[in-house]
Amino acid sequence: MSVTTKTGDQGQTSLFTGERIAKDDARVEAYGKVDSLGSALGMARAFATNKRVKDDILAVQKQLGMLMADFASRNKPPRITAEMVAGIEAEIADIEESLPALKEFVIPGNKKSSAMLDLARTVAREAERRAWTLARRGSVAEVDLQYLNRISDYCFVLMRLEDEDKPNL
């Protein structure tokens, strides 16, 4: 099967559930921005030197596929769970305990990988805004909104960890 199907040539795309909708629909915007987040995280992972950061990014990337499926589906139970949100919260707390207290604004760019994590943080915020637009127009699981909110915080602490840590391959 070819990646070129020509089924979208008229401005329509298929949801995960098979329904056809406009390519500029809020639902497509939401999962498209999550797709962008996954790409930004992939760049950060490719350059990361800290093994924990690499592993944590990969785990999030795998979960983002489930989040995109949630946004690309209507009237289906979410694949993202409260346990996933709690797991990210626990990871954030654990990382924060290992880092020095913040005394000033963080300016990204000390390392390529941490700068990319900061970019991923901003893309996560964009994805969250698109998800809220969708939530106001259609159905979005509350857990999906919570998850996106936590991911931007997670990117921030991972960025700090990557900046603080020496290479750990």
Side-chain angles (χ1 to χ4, degrees):
M1 178 177 185
S2 174
V3 71
T4 304
T5 63
K6 301 180 185 176
T7 60
D9 289 351
Q10 301 304 311
Q12 296 279 308
T13 191
S14 292
L15 292 178
F16 194 65
T17 52
E19 300 167 70
R20 301 286 293 170
I21 63 170
K23 287 187 173 191
D24 62 350
D25 187 273
R27 189 166 295 281
V28 178
E29 290 286 337
Y31 70 72
K33 193 49 75 172
V34 173
D35 193 19
S36 297
L37 173 58
S39 294
L41 285 169
M43 288 292 292
R45 185 168 56 91
F47 284 95
T49 56
N50 179 299
K51 184 172 179 349
R52 178 179 183 176
V53 171
K54 281 178 156 314
D55 292 346
D56 287 2
I57 291 171
L58 182 59
V60 170
Q61 286 179 291
K62 290 177 179 179
Q63 291 179 350
L64 289 180
M66 292 186 285
L67 183 62
M68 284 191 292
D70 284 356
F71 289 148
S73 303
R74 287 189 176 146
N75 305 315
K76 297 285 184 185
R79 291 158 185 83
I80 296 295
T81 66
E83 291 77 22
M84 290 174 181
V85 174
I88 290 172
E89 290 170 349
E91 289 292 321
I92 291 169
D94 186 57
I95 293 169
E96 283 181 319
E97 285 181 19
S98 73
L99 294 170
L102 279 176
K103 296 180 182 170
E104 56 191 28
F105 284 105
V106 175
I107 299 174
N110 289 335
K111 294 167 85 174
K112 288 178 186 177
S113 54
S114 61
M116 289 175 191
L117 277 161
D118 192 59
L119 177 62
R121 177 191 62 79
T122 67
V123 175
R125 290 284 187 218
E126 289 179 72
E128 184 182 8
R129 289 191 298 272
R130 297 294 70 78
W132 275 105
T133 298
L134 176 60
R136 285 174 180 49
R137 295 180 185 170
S139 63
V140 173
E142 185 176 337
V143 70
D144 288 337
L145 296 167
Q146 293 169 348
Y147 181 87
L148 266 176
N149 186 269
R150 299 313 180 279
I151 290 299
S152 58
D153 295 337
Y154 199 17
C155 288
F156 181 75
V157 298
L158 287 172
M159 172 194 69
R160 290 190 61 216
L161 183 61
E162 182 70 12
D163 263 353
E164 291 288 325
D165 204 33
K166 294 176 178 56
N168 183 10
L169 302 174

